Amino acid sequence: MRFTLRQVFIFCLAVLPGIMSASAEERIQVGHGIQSVWKPGVWIPFQVKIGYENETRNPAINPEEKPSGKLGEKLGEKPEEKPTSERFRGRVVLEIPDSDGIPMTVKKEVNAELPTTVELCGRIGNAHGNYRIKVYKSSENKRESTAKTVTGVVTVARTDSEMVTEAEADSKMKTESLIYETVQSVEGALRNTKGVILVVGPTEAGVEASIAQMACASELKPTVVRVESAGDLPESVTAWELVDTLVLTTENEPVLESWGTEEIKRLKQWTERGGTLVVSVGKNAEKWASDSRWEWLLPGKLEKVIPVRETAAMEVFAQSPIPVTLLGVSEKYRIGTARFTELLPSVQVRAQQYDLPLVLRRGMGLGQVHWVTFDLEHPAISQWEGRGNFLAMLLGFSEKNVQYAQYEEKSVRGMVRGYDDISGQLRSALDDFSGLRPVSFGLLAGFFFVYLAIIGPGCWFLCRKLPHGGEIASWILFLVTVGTGTVFLLFLFATDGELRVNQVQVTDYLPENNTLRQSCWGNVWSPDAETWTIAWETTCPVSSETGREETVGKSSQSDASCATPPKDGWVSWFGLPGAYLGGMDSRMTFTGGDFTGTGTHSVSGYSGNLKGLELSGNPELSGVSSASEMYTLNGCRLENVPFLARSTRSFCACRWEESVKNMDFGTLSEYNQSRVLGEIRNPLSVALDGCLLLYGGWAYEIGRLEPGECFTIHEGVSYFSASALLLDADMIEDRSLKSSVSRRRVNRPYDPVSHNLTYILRTMMFFEKCGGRTYTGLSGQYQRQLDVSALLNCRTAVLYGVPEMVNSGSDGNARASGNTEIDGLFGRLTILNPKDGKVIPCENSEDKNVRVLRVFLPVETGK
């Protein structure tokens, strides 16, 4: 077949633009989650790589080659930095649906040398939704705007008004061009009730096999995720919320070297904020301990590494009848164990072989650290059939183990309640507004069936039996329609149309480093179809810099522009856990529009590697909305949140910051290895009601503490079982024995439909100490950061108290007095007018505003 020169020229004009556009767009790659693992309603990372070549890996050619770490480098090697003068200026926009199907946007400005990786954090509201990534490039040419995809050349016409963004306010008047747009699927999500254990290293250190050996149902076993090196971890600590436990092994030197200074700082921050860290340190202990960056993680002074062959203490700790089998008598088969001496006072020895510690534990902030002084990847340990019991005892899974049949029987009730996690009960209680009567589903169903009966069999019967049946039937239908409409109109205009807010707050104070964690959950009721801005407002009485009173977020009567916005915090929507109707694990996906609209094309025919994630596009994606009704996450604000008429929406917020002043709540020391002695005081200007001090398995009932009042705990002070006080157990006389009369404890059953916020919150804050799933029949995984039961066994005492309350109603939900924001311990969810930024007053006395304070006091070693 012969081609003329003209045909070849036309062919090149048709094909070359597509090839050039494809090669250009291959330099943008996207991914989500940690190794594609994620959960709805939890912060996860979204990565966008710009300027990298398309790196593919063929295992058939080189099976020894492993997935690359950050930026595609081989494990333990630094990537080659190619000299480039190209710089990218623009922004990346992430659009994700919330739990109601309304799209939320997260934006990040980019000004970096190529190649670069951009990471954004977001929450996906449904396990079967999608997300959209848009990449904009700043340009001084207003007419430059094209959207290209790998599937071909797709030019999207953009008007000047569409290209104009916040950049117009810039003095240079630069415009933005949409250069890339893709929709990605997020199938394969974990359920909210699943825990996640993350292992950093070339192998999973036997954790996955250990989980498989645990004697509990698969529904209760956590999922194991492995990353090659520390460079594969998210850059934002917020995105680490997905991880419950992180296992750090030091046996592999390249993995140990992959931990840079920033990664170590993030690991420390994540641990102090509630993470559980397991450190396996053995033969490379000396190299690890010599690095000053790990000094904060040392349990004591490292003396040396001792090769041992005695494993009886490991077997006793694991409560395993199966012994550890050493493979031989040569030196290489001995287990290298790090010998730590001069342990820190807060470190507990859980297992030791004579005077050689094997398993150590301590509390760190709101988290905890477990040390295993030998390598979990040692051949003798990896082949030990009892390592499943060892890991279960290490992480406390044996205490959480329940019979699946018992759990399944209780969880069936969730079909009636609509949730299977205790946080769903909290959300349901927050949605109960006094004075507002929501539309009953039964009432709607009754009207619907009556209407069908009238226009169906009713009309037929009237038309057949009455002389003027059709006319009578029409009049009856008209009267029913008018009556139904009147009922709904009366319902819609039954209130005065004011905004309402129910909220509950928990403040955790850490005297050891003088920091605060403020957590808040709230429901907002809007009478009209409007857009509002939801913000987190705090009040700090004394500035550490100026020494005068300052307000972070003005009061409700003034402008809400923040003089000092929280540096470390966020506000987001609060989803409903579970697979029932409206739950985040439900198969039903609610969207606010079409996420495959004009100009939206997914990447197909492409497989790349992004931090170890194998990405592939799908051209037939839906479930992410392109509607104009979007709202934006901007730090501690959700801007332009749309509300339907007479509807509620749920939100949550969290912030960390250093307290503006030190507050002395007392000092405690350990007594008899299980109790405490010392003094508890109230340094606040308000009284604390219902105070409890919990330590280990015991609790002290303190009661009310007036401002400045002290309570001394001595040997004669009565103490009770912690679970008995938390469960409000009853003590009854047992006359089953004829010779004597004894008293036994009877726990009150948990009320899964209670709307008492204080009752629900206290159960969530000490969930495992109360009995966990066995007691409640619900999971406690979704808001697991509230549960501090494990810290009670880490030489940490928890003081629980409720600031003075007023207007306690018959519903049992006490409401906070107006002065409890003093001392900067509490804040509030506020509603702002997006047009002028002013606060909308929401001071309804019937709204719930419950606040709880927890103080974490270190317990000194008793003499």
Side-chain angles (χ1 to χ4, degrees):
M1 183 180 294
R2 297 181 179 180
F3 296 96
T4 63
L5 182 62
R6 181 180 179 182
Q7 289 175 328
V8 173
F9 180 72
I10 294 175
F11 176 79
C12 293
L13 289 178
V15 174
L16 285 179
I19 297 176
M20 294 177 64
S21 64
S23 62
E25 292 308 321
E26 283 180 355
R27 301 182 65 191
I28 298 181
Q29 307 168 23
V30 299
H32 66 275
I34 301 178
Q35 296 294 77
S36 294
V37 175
W38 68 284
K39 291 192 291 187
V42 176
W43 293 105
I44 60 173
F46 296 83
Q47 303 99 348
V48 180
K49 294 178 65 176
I50 305 175
Y52 291 98
E53 297 298 332
N54 183 14
E55 301 172 358
T56 59
R57 178 171 55 90
N58 189 348
I61 298 176
N62 186 6
E64 298 297 328
E65 185 179 357
K66 297 180 180 180
S68 58
K70 180 181 280 190
L71 311 184
E73 69 271 15
K74 290 184 179 180
L75 185 61
E77 298 180 3
K78 296 183 178 180
E80 294 184 9
E81 297 182 1
K82 299 180 181 181
T84 176
S85 59
E86 186 178 0
R87 191 172 188 87
F88 181 83
R89 293 181 178 86
R91 65 187 174 113
V92 178
V93 178
L94 168 67
E95 298 176 5
I96 47 179
D98 64 9
S99 59
D100 295 323
I102 301 177
M104 179 181 71
T105 63
V106 182
K107 306 174 184 178
K108 190 170 186 178
E109 300 293 331
V110 183
N111 186 358
E113 294 286 345
L114 292 180
T116 184
T117 300
V118 183
E119 182 179 284
L120 302 95
C121 290
R123 286 176 157 189
I124 299 180
N126 189 275
H128 310 283
N130 301 321
Y131 68 93
R132 172 184 283 138
I133 293 286
K134 295 180 180 179
V135 180
Y136 293 88
K137 184 177 181 180
S138 297
S139 173
E140 296 182 2
N141 182 7
K142 295 185 178 181
R143 298 292 178 181
E144 180 185 353
S145 178
T146 57
K148 304 175 183 178
T149 65
V150 177
T151 55
V153 183
V154 180
T155 303
V156 181
R158 303 281 177 175
T159 62
D160 290 348
S161 61
E162 289 176 328
M163 291 186 295
V164 173
T165 61
E166 298 87 353
E168 284 188 341
D170 189 82
S171 58
K172 297 182 180 180
M173 296 295 293
K174 291 185 178 180
T175 59
E176 292 180 334
S177 303
L178 178 63
I179 65 171
Y180 183 78
E181 182 174 355
T182 181
V183 175
Q184 292 290 330
S185 173
V186 290
E187 292 292 332
L190 297 178
R191 295 196 59 172
N192 286 107
T193 54
K194 273 282 188 180
V196 175
I197 298 179
L198 178 66
V199 183
V200 182
T203 66
E204 40 82 29
V207 176
E208 192 166 355
S210 301
I211 295 294
Q213 294 176 4
M214 289 183 181
C216 64
S218 59
E219 292 285 334
L220 308 179
K221 294 180 180 179
T223 299
V224 180
V225 182
R226 183 182 62 85
V227 297
E228 288 288 329
S229 65
D232 297 323
L233 296 173
E235 297 177 358
S236 172
V237 180
T238 304
W240 290 34
E241 183 187 4
L242 175 68
V243 181
D244 299 287
T245 303
L246 189 146
V247 179
L248 169 63
T249 60
T250 61
E251 184 176 5
N252 190 284
E253 293 188 7
V255 173
L256 189 59
E257 294 172 356
S258 70
W259 286 91
T261 303
E262 293 300 321
E263 285 82 2
I264 294 176
K265 287 182 179 178
R266 286 194 287 268
L267 178 65
K268 180 182 179 181
Q269 190 178 31
W270 171 79
T271 305
E272 292 177 341
R273 294 187 176 187
T276 300
L277 176 62
V278 176
V279 184
S280 172
V281 50
K283 65 179 184 180
N284 287 329
E286 295 180 354
K287 182 176 181 180
W288 172 70
S290 62
D291 192 339
S292 59
R293 298 175 301 172
W294 295 105
E295 186 177 359
W296 60 274
L297 196 51
L298 294 175
K301 179 182 178 182
L302 177 63
E303 188 175 286
K304 58 181 178 179
V305 177
I306 303 175
V308 298
R309 288 184 295 178
E310 298 184 13
T311 60
M314 304 178 192
E315 299 155 8
V316 172
F317 175 78
Q319 299 180 3
S320 172
I322 304 175
V324 179
T325 303
L326 296 181
L327 304 179
V329 295
S330 60
E331 188 69 25
K332 68 176 182 178
Y333 290 117
R334 294 185 178 182
I335 302 176
T337 305
R339 181 184 181 89
F340 288 99
T341 59
E342 301 179 15
L343 299 178
L344 299 175
S346 57
V347 173
Q348 294 175 299
V349 179
R350 302 183 64 191
Q352 61 181 4
Q353 188 75 33
Y354 303 112
D355 61 342
L356 180 63
L358 298 177
V359 181
L360 307 171
R361 176 178 64 186
R362 69 164 292 198
M364 181 175 292
L366 294 177
Q368 52 184 323
V369 182
H370 300 266
W371 289 274
V372 179
T373 60
F374 52 87
D375 294 318
L376 292 174
E377 298 174 289
H378 191 277
I381 303 300
S382 62
Q383 297 185 16
W384 180 30
E385 295 184 12
R387 61 179 176 176
N389 290 359
F390 181 87
L391 187 65
M393 292 298 299
L394 181 69
L395 299 178
F397 289 152
S398 59
E399 301 174 2
K400 305 174 187 178
N401 185 19
V402 298
Q403 295 295 326
Y404 183 65
Q406 179 184 11
Y407 162 67
E408 188 177 31
E409 180 182 354
K410 289 187 176 182
S411 65
V412 173
R413 305 173 190 169
M415 298 182 65
V416 179
R417 298 188 299 264
Y419 50 82
D420 54 10
D421 191 280
I422 193 171
S423 60
Q425 184 179 359
L426 176 67
R427 173 174 151 149
S428 177
L430 288 170
D431 213 30
D432 182 15
F433 287 88
S434 178
L436 296 179
R437 296 181 180 179
V439 179
S440 171
F441 179 78
L443 180 63
L444 289 177
F447 278 123
F448 178 72
F449 284 114
V450 169
Y451 181 77
L452 290 180
I454 292 176
I455 66 174
C459 288
W460 176 84
F461 178 80
L462 293 175
C463 291
R464 290 289 301 269
K465 299 298 181 180
L466 299 178
H468 301 285
E471 182 179 356
I472 295 176
S474 300
W475 275 106
I476 293 176
L477 180 62
F478 171 76
L479 293 175
V480 170
T481 304
V482 171
T484 304
T486 303
V487 170
F488 279 103
L489 287 176
L490 291 175
F491 173 77
L492 290 175
F493 296 101
T495 62
D496 54 2
E498 62 177 357
L499 287 166
R500 303 281 298 275
V501 180
N502 284 341
Q503 56 186 307
V504 57
Q505 304 174 47
V506 178
T507 295
D508 296 320
Y509 178 62
L510 303 171
E512 192 173 3
N513 52 12
N514 195 34
T515 57
L516 294 171
R517 180 182 72 177
Q518 295 179 341
S519 306
C520 180
W521 297 264
N523 278 25
V524 178
W525 184 86
S526 175
D528 304 314
E530 292 286 350
T531 58
W532 308 107
T533 294
I534 310 299
W536 173 257
E537 175 186 304
T538 57
T539 303
C540 299
V542 180
S543 171
S544 57
E545 298 178 358
T546 62
R548 66 176 184 271
E549 184 172 313
E550 291 186 356
T551 299
V552 182
K554 306 293 184 180
S555 65
S556 59
Q557 305 299 329
S558 60
D559 187 6
S561 58
C562 294
T564 310
K567 297 181 180 179
D568 194 356
W570 50 263
V571 176
S572 183
W573 49 267
F574 180 33
L576 179 67
Y580 309 110
L581 182 64
M584 293 182 292
D585 294 318
S586 172
R587 298 294 302 183
M588 298 184 64
T589 303
F590 302 95
T591 61
D594 182 14
F595 243 67
T596 56
T598 304
T600 303
H601 299 269
S602 60
V603 180
S604 63
Y606 163 75
S607 178
N609 192 324
L610 174 57
K611 293 189 175 183
L613 299 178
E614 292 295 333
L615 307 177
S616 59
N618 185 349
E620 298 179 357
L621 300 177
S622 62
V624 184
S625 173
S626 59
S628 59
E629 293 268 340
M630 294 186 182
Y631 61 98
T632 305
L633 173 62
N634 186 10
C636 285
R637 289 190 179 187
L638 289 176
E639 300 176 347
N640 302 312
V641 181
F643 281 80
L644 298 176
R646 296 188 58 83
S647 67
T648 61
R649 300 203 64 182
S650 302
F651 302 95
C652 56
C654 181
R655 78 179 184 105
W656 284 84
E657 72 171 25
E658 184 177 353
S659 178
V660 294
K661 67 176 184 178
N662 291 313
M663 290 175 282
D664 184 11
F665 282 90
T667 57
L668 298 172
S669 61
E670 193 176 45
Y671 168 68
N672 200 19
Q673 297 183 348
S674 60
R675 296 167 52 194
V676 294
L677 299 176
E679 188 177 69
I680 296 296
R681 63 180 64 91
N682 178 13
L684 307 179
S685 57
V686 294
L688 293 175
D689 284 326
C691 293
L692 297 176
L693 181 69
L694 298 97
Y695 179 71
W698 304 107
Y700 299 86
E701 194 170 16
I702 299 176
R704 182 181 175 89
L705 280 178
E706 297 293 340
E709 183 181 358
C710 296
F711 182 86
T712 302
I713 302 176
H714 50 80
E715 298 180 9
V717 173
S718 300
Y719 60 96
F720 308 89
S721 170
S723 58
L725 284 181
L726 293 172
L727 303 181
D728 294 327
D730 296 322
M731 302 301 294
I732 65 174
E733 293 184 354
D734 188 356
R735 299 180 179 273
S736 58
L737 298 177
K738 296 181 179 180
S739 58
S740 63
V741 177
S742 61
R743 295 174 63 85
R744 61 186 178 90
R745 190 182 104 187
V746 178
N747 295 334
R748 298 181 183 177
Y750 183 73
D751 185 4
V753 296
S754 172
H755 281 184
N756 188 326
L757 289 173
T758 306
Y759 172 73
I760 300 171
L761 200 61
R762 192 171 69 173
T763 306
M764 293 178 65
M765 290 190 295
F766 304 98
F767 186 73
E768 293 299 337
K769 184 62 67 175
C770 290
R773 292 176 184 259
T774 307
Y775 171 59
T776 63
L778 299 168
S779 169
Q781 181 67 25
Y782 183 34
Q783 299 295 314
R784 68 182 186 281
Q785 72 276 8
L786 264 186
D787 184 17
V788 295
S789 302
L791 280 180
L792 298 177
N793 299 322
C794 297
R795 288 200 176 130
T796 300
V798 179
L799 174 63
Y800 165 89
V802 180
E804 185 177 15
M805 298 289 168
V806 296
N807 298 331
S808 180
S810 58
D811 57 0
N813 291 306
R815 297 163 182 84
S817 58
N819 62 344
T820 51
E821 280 137 2
I822 200 164
D823 303 314
L825 291 176
F826 299 98
R828 68 179 71 177
L829 281 178
T830 56
I831 305 174
L832 312 180
N833 190 330
K835 298 179 181 179
D836 54 15
K838 293 185 178 181
V839 174
I840 309 263
C842 302
E843 301 293 342
N844 195 307
S845 59
E846 295 184 348
D847 289 344
K848 304 171 186 176
N849 191 1
V850 177
R851 304 177 183 183
V852 175
L853 173 66
R854 292 189 299 186
V855 182
F856 296 81
L857 299 171
V859 178
E860 300 176 358
T861 306
K863 298 182 180 179

